[in-house]
Structure formats: structure tokens, C-alpha cells
Amino acid sequence: MFSKIIGTGSYVPEKTVTNDELASIMDTSDEWIRTRTGIGERHFFEASEKEKTITAALRASERALCEAEKKGLRRDEIDLVIAATCSPDYAFPATACVLSDRLSIGPAAAFDLSLACTGFLAAFSTASAYLASGISRNALVVGVDVMSKFLDMKDRSTAILFGDGAGALVLSADERFDDGQGSGVIRSILRSDGSRAGVLSCESLYKNENAGGELRMEGRPVFEFAVREVPKLIKELCEGMDEAPKLYVLHQANRRIIEAVAKRLSEPIDKFPGNIEHYANTTAATIPILLDELMRGGSLCSGDEIVMSGFGAGLSLGAILYRI
């Protein structure tokens, strides 16, 4: 079923935190962080700012909707809103419901998906399935996370890795946008290994609860899982293709992981675009932020086939083969 990306948008907070700034409050350095992760800086919301997740999602969504509106789609034609987030401002209502109202979309199916860094892939796959089945015609899909609310700034193993941000896209099954290139999801795979769930977790959304609200991660098992499983999943996804995808749009968790995946796929590293140096790991937002940059920068054209793939808490992982 035809489903075309007709608008993309992204947003990160104004506050930039460099590696040198982190080095002033913990035992680390710019060289240490860059060498091990590829990260140079990240963006955080100010602690005093309210509704951080909704604010980021709204601003990214406005940009995506503005682009879609220029192509002729009205906001009241959006009939599905999915927000992928593990850091909502409220336990309920769903972030997607608040977005639908504040964006003046009108009545629409709206719900959140929580799968941490794999969340956007789950949301994209779900929206594509809704469009393919005819349940919905036009969808707003958002990946948004504010990880700064979970970070222990004394924990070097996690505090250096994450940032705040949002990415959004408008996906349409409307024939008005069909350019004959057969746009849409060609294949999608989502998997998880719950037996490894304990190596990456956050026990509560709220730091003032007894359960605690800090992110905890065993870095080595997560790294090994990603390096081993992501290439295997991509190979399975692309089995039978006559030509390799134009680009691999991977979750921006660690540049060393991306380089290892490229090596195991025997693909040149220049087919793996990245922006981790400037944003760090924005969890569910990494892929849509990068996709927005690629689309707006002219790196992708109608008919190009790309792989989007990522991994995260669960331990979960996913991959989508998509024709632009």
C-alpha cells in the first residue's frame, strides 16, 4: 500500500552542553567521550522548563505539518497521531492526545508507544500498517524523549550519552502524493529479548518516588547486543534485494556501534550518515531527527530505498526497509 512521507521536522532545546562542561563536574574529558562514543555535545532542557516532552514534540510536529500543508494536506485530514516516547510529561493523558489538540488536528486516533530507543521504529511500523489496511489515511508520527530528566550527572557511564530532542513526520496514503515510485514500507521487523531487560532500565518516571528515577545501564552487554544483532537483522530484512539500500539510517547511540555494523555488512561508512556528534543519543528521536536532516538536505530522493534500524531497552531492536 502506498504511503508517502510528505513532511518532516525536528527540534532540540537551545541549551547546549559540551563535553568540556561535563568534564568540569565528573571524571571525564572531551577526548575520552569522543573516542568512545563520537559525541561532542548534547542539548538539554532547562530544569525549570515545564512540559518538556510535549514542547519538543509540538515544535518538531509543527515543522513537519507545515511542510505537508505546503503540499496540500490539511490538518483536519490527519486521522492518526502516534508519539513514541519513554519520557512523557504525564503518566496520562497520552502525549499524542495532547499533541492532537494543541496542533488543532481535530478528532483522530491518538496514542503513545513506549519502546525507548526502538520506539520510533515501532511507531512508524504501526502507522504504516494502519495506512496499509485503510484504517487511517494520514498519520503524524513523532519520536520524542527528554532523557535529561532521568540522568544522574555523577554517573559517567550514562550522563555523557544522552540528549533531549524530537523528530516528526507526516505519512500519507493519499493518492494526491503518489509520484509513481511506489513509496512505502517494503519490509519491517521488530523483535525483543526480555531476558536481557535488566541491563538497560529506569524504574520510575519520577525521581521523587521510592523506586528511583535514574537511568541505569550496563554498557558492555548493550554494546555487544547491538553489534551482534543489528547487522543480522538488517541482513534478514534485505535478503533477496537486487541492490543494496542507498543509505542506512541507524539509531544514533554510539559511533563505534555504527562503524561496527557497517563493517559487518561490508558497506562503506559513508552510507551511514550520522549526527551523534551534535545531539548525542536522543532515544526515540534519533532516527526521525536524522531523517529530517537528510530529507531537507537533499540527500534522499523519491524512489530511494533506505534502511532504518535501531535497538534499545527491552532489549529490543527493529529494522524497516522503506522506499522514499
Side-chain angles (χ1 to χ4, degrees), residues 17-38:
V17 179
T18 66
N19 291 343
D20 287 334
E21 288 178 83
L22 292 184
S24 69
I25 61 173
M26 65 179 71
D27 181 19
T28 189
S29 68
D30 177 68
E31 181 184 9
W32 193 92
I33 297 172
R34 286 181 184 273
T35 300
R36 289 161 177 77
T37 68

Side-chain angles (χ1 to χ4, degrees), residues 208-231:
N208 61 348
E209 290 187 353
N210 292 332
E214 285 81 25
L215 184 152
R216 301 298 180 201
M217 180 174 69
E218 297 176 34
R220 177 53 57 181
V222 175
F223 185 95
E224 292 175 349
F225 173 83
V227 169
R228 181 181 66 252
E229 298 299 331
V230 171

Side-chain angles (χ1 to χ4, degrees), residues 2-318:
F2 167 78
S3 57
K4 183 78 172 178
I5 296 174
I6 61 170
T8 61
S10 59
Y11 173 79
V12 294
E14 291 184 9
K15 180 182 178 181
T16 301
V17 179
T18 66
N19 291 343
D20 287 334
E21 288 178 83
L22 292 184
S24 69
I25 61 173
M26 65 179 71
D27 181 19
T28 189
S29 68
D30 177 68
E31 181 184 9
W32 193 92
I33 297 172
R34 286 181 184 273
T35 300
R36 289 161 177 77
T37 68
I39 298 169
E41 60 188 15
R42 70 284 297 146
H43 293 257
F44 287 162
F45 275 97
E46 298 284 357
S48 60
E49 293 181 80
K50 306 299 182 183
E51 290 192 330
K52 300 180 180 74
T53 299
I54 289 171
T55 296
L58 274 171
R59 294 184 181 178
S61 297
E62 282 284 7
R63 292 169 183 173
L65 285 168
C66 182
E67 188 175 340
E69 287 172 327
K70 290 177 181 177
K71 295 176 181 176
L73 187 76
R74 302 189 314 273
R75 292 195 181 201
D76 62 6
E77 293 181 280
I78 300 287
D79 53 6
L80 174 65
V81 180
I82 305 178
T85 183
C86 64
S87 55
D89 293 318
Y90 313 110
F92 54 84
T95 301
C97 293
V98 178
L99 280 178
S100 182
D101 172 62
R102 296 193 186 177
L103 292 167
S104 300
I105 286 173
F111 53 88
D112 292 356
L113 288 177
S114 178
L115 199 56
C117 300
T118 317
F120 175 76
L121 296 171
F124 192 101
S125 296
T126 301
S128 297
Y130 267 65
L131 268 58
S133 67
I135 295 174
S136 300
R137 297 292 294 168
N138 303 289
L140 172 65
V141 183
V142 186
V144 54
D145 273 306
V146 179
M147 299 307 292
S148 59
K149 67 175 70 175
F150 299 136
L151 297 178
D152 176 356
M153 297 309 294
K154 297 179 181 179
D155 180 5
R156 184 179 67 173
S157 67
T158 58
I160 67 170
L161 298 176
F162 294 92
D164 302 339
L169 60 84
V170 177
L171 194 63
S172 178
D174 194 315
E175 289 78 8
R176 287 178 293 171
F177 309 111
D178 188 352
D179 55 10
Q181 298 298 321
S183 298
V185 172
I186 300 171
R187 198 172 300 153
S188 174
I189 304 174
L190 292 169
R191 292 200 178 127
S192 66
D193 179 5
S195 69
R196 312 294 301 281
V199 303
L200 178 53
S201 65
C202 182
E203 296 180 13
S204 171
L205 287 174
Y206 308 104
K207 287 188 177 181
N208 61 348
E209 290 187 353
N210 292 332
E214 285 81 25
L215 184 152
R216 301 298 180 201
M217 180 174 69
E218 297 176 34
R220 177 53 57 181
V222 175
F223 185 95
E224 292 175 349
F225 173 83
V227 169
R228 181 181 66 252
E229 298 299 331
V230 171
K232 287 169 55 178
L233 194 69
I234 292 176
K235 288 179 180 179
E236 180 181 344
L237 183 82
C238 297
E239 187 175 0
M241 289 182 63
D242 294 331
E243 297 182 7
K246 180 176 181 178
L247 292 178
Y248 298 85
V249 183
L250 300 193
H251 170 49
Q252 302 290 294
N254 186 309
R255 188 61 184 171
R256 290 171 59 197
I257 291 175
I258 296 170
E259 290 169 350
V261 171
K263 184 176 181 179
R264 294 196 177 201
L265 292 175
S266 300
E267 287 278 45
I269 193 63
D270 60 6
K271 293 183 68 173
F272 294 77
N275 56 17
I276 190 171
E277 179 182 2
H278 301 295
Y279 306 129
N281 180 354
T282 53
T283 315
T286 68
I287 292 176
I289 289 175
L290 181 55
L291 192 60
D292 177 46
E293 292 181 343
L294 293 170
M295 297 285 280
R296 291 179 183 272
S299 298
L300 294 172
C301 302
S302 183
D304 287 343
E305 292 181 356
I306 65 171
V307 165
M308 294 177 276
S309 184
F311 61 94
L315 289 172
S316 59
L317 73 161

